[in-house]
């Protein structure tokens, strides 16, 4: 239960207190349970989307409000990680300089542009799914983002120097854990686009491929994995999944 408590306290604002002592063993269990937290957040996002539309909001406004609600429910840390990662990549400097930029308090122009772009993609895609009452697809898109965090922390993924969170979670997930969650996500995606049961699994595989490329590229640029990169993985994967699930509409 320490792993689940830590996963909830790390990934949401819910008043759940994690264990007092957090080592790599407990942190690894928390990351392994991130998809469970993702499913909870996804269910909440789908429910909010339905609620906003039920009270008269347009689907686009409802989609935007849900993206904002997700950011609030996760303390905005994934959006912050996305901005920091893009700013670091945009520096074109050595790993030490990129990490220094990422640790800065303010988001640069690249980071701000990335947030606006990803928020827009998520909001529009959620709206398209809501137009056809695809609440399950909305929930699954949110969950997929957290599932890919497990793959990003796979064995052999080094932590970037000077990253406390990265040092806790990098290289903690076994191939079996990654395979189990990958299989679960692909199987669940069969029902995301009922008219084209092949499309959902394909979308998940594309999201996995994009996340893998991002993690490997940032590992070379930053010297390893960091918490900011995990945040970028979450937000980009949610956007790709939501876009993909809406393609058949």
């Amino acid at each position: 239960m320490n792993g689940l408590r830590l996963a909830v306290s790390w990934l949401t604002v819910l008043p759940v207190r994690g264990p007092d002592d957090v080592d790599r063993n407990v942190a690894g269990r928390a990351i392994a349970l991130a998809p469970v937290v993702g499913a909870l957040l996804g269910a909440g996002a789908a429910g909010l989307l339905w609620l906003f539309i039920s009270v008269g909001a347009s689907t686009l406004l409802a989609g935007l409000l849900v993206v904002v609600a997700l950011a609030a429910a996760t303390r905005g840390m994934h959006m912050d990680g996305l901005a920091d990662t893009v700013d670091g990549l945009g520096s074109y400097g050595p790993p030490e300089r990129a990490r220094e930029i990422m640790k800065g308090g303010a988001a640069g122009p690249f980071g701000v542009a990335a947030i606006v772009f990803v928020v827009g993609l998520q909001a529009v895609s959620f709206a398209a799914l809501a137009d056809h009452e695809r609440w399950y697809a909305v929930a699954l898109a949110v969950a997929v983002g957290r599932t890919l965090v497990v793959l990003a922390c796979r064995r052999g993924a080094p932590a970037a120097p000077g990253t406390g969170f990265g040092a806790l979670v990098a290289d903690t997930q076994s191939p079996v854990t990654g395979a189990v969650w990958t299989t679960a996500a692909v199987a669940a995606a069969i029902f995301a686009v009922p008219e084209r049961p092949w499309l959902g699994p394909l979308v998940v595989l594309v999201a996995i491929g994009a996340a893998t490329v991002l993690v490997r590229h940032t590992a070379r640029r930053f010297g390893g994995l960091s918490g900011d990169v995990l945040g970028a993985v979450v937000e980009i994967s949610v956007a790709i999944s939501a876009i993909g699930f809406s393609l058949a509409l």
Side-chain angles (χ1 to χ4, degrees):
M1 292 301 294
N2 280 347
L4 182 58
R5 286 164 48 207
L6 184 59
V8 174
S9 66
W10 267 353
L11 299 175
T12 74
V13 294
L14 293 176
V16 176
R17 181 177 178 180
D20 294 329
D21 297 320
V22 178
D23 55 19
R24 279 178 54 81
N25 187 33
V26 177
R29 291 201 298 270
I31 291 297
L33 292 169
V36 176
V37 180
L40 293 174
L41 288 170
L48 273 179
L49 190 60
W50 174 85
L51 179 62
F52 289 142
I53 293 172
S54 296
V55 298
S58 68
T59 53
L60 183 55
L61 175 59
L64 181 59
L65 290 175
V66 166
V67 175
V68 172
L70 281 171
T74 56
R75 304 183 187 89
M77 60 183 177
H78 302 320
M79 287 292 181
D80 179 67
L82 171 66
D84 288 343
T85 298
V86 174
D87 280 336
L89 291 173
S91 69
Y92 294 102
E96 297 79 9
R97 174 57 179 160
R99 293 196 299 268
E100 181 182 344
I101 290 173
M102 292 168 69
K103 290 180 179 179
F110 288 115
V112 172
I115 289 177
V116 171
F117 186 59
V118 170
V119 166
L121 289 177
Q122 290 182 6
V124 171
S125 300
F126 286 166
L129 292 169
D131 275 331
H132 292 78
E133 299 185 346
R134 296 288 175 78
W135 317 116
Y136 173 79
V138 172
L140 183 60
V142 175
V144 166
R146 279 71 185 174
T147 300
L148 298 196
V149 167
V150 178
L151 302 184
C153 296
R154 70 190 188 286
R155 292 278 168 81
T163 56
F165 187 78
L168 270 178
V169 301
D171 192 28
T172 59
Q173 302 304 304
S174 72
V176 173
T177 304
V180 167
W181 283 119
T182 298
T183 302
V186 170
I190 293 173
F191 307 100
V193 188
E195 298 85 355
R196 301 178 184 176
W198 53 269
L199 180 58
L202 178 61
V203 168
V204 172
L205 292 176
V206 170
I208 290 173
T212 300
V213 170
L214 174 64
V215 170
R216 289 182 178 177
H217 180 61
T218 53
R220 289 194 296 269
R221 289 284 288 109
F222 306 149
L225 185 69
S226 70
D228 287 331
V229 172
L230 294 179
V233 166
V234 169
E235 296 299 343
I236 292 173
S237 300
V238 171
I240 291 173
S241 299
I243 291 169
F245 294 155
S246 69
L247 289 180
L249 302 180

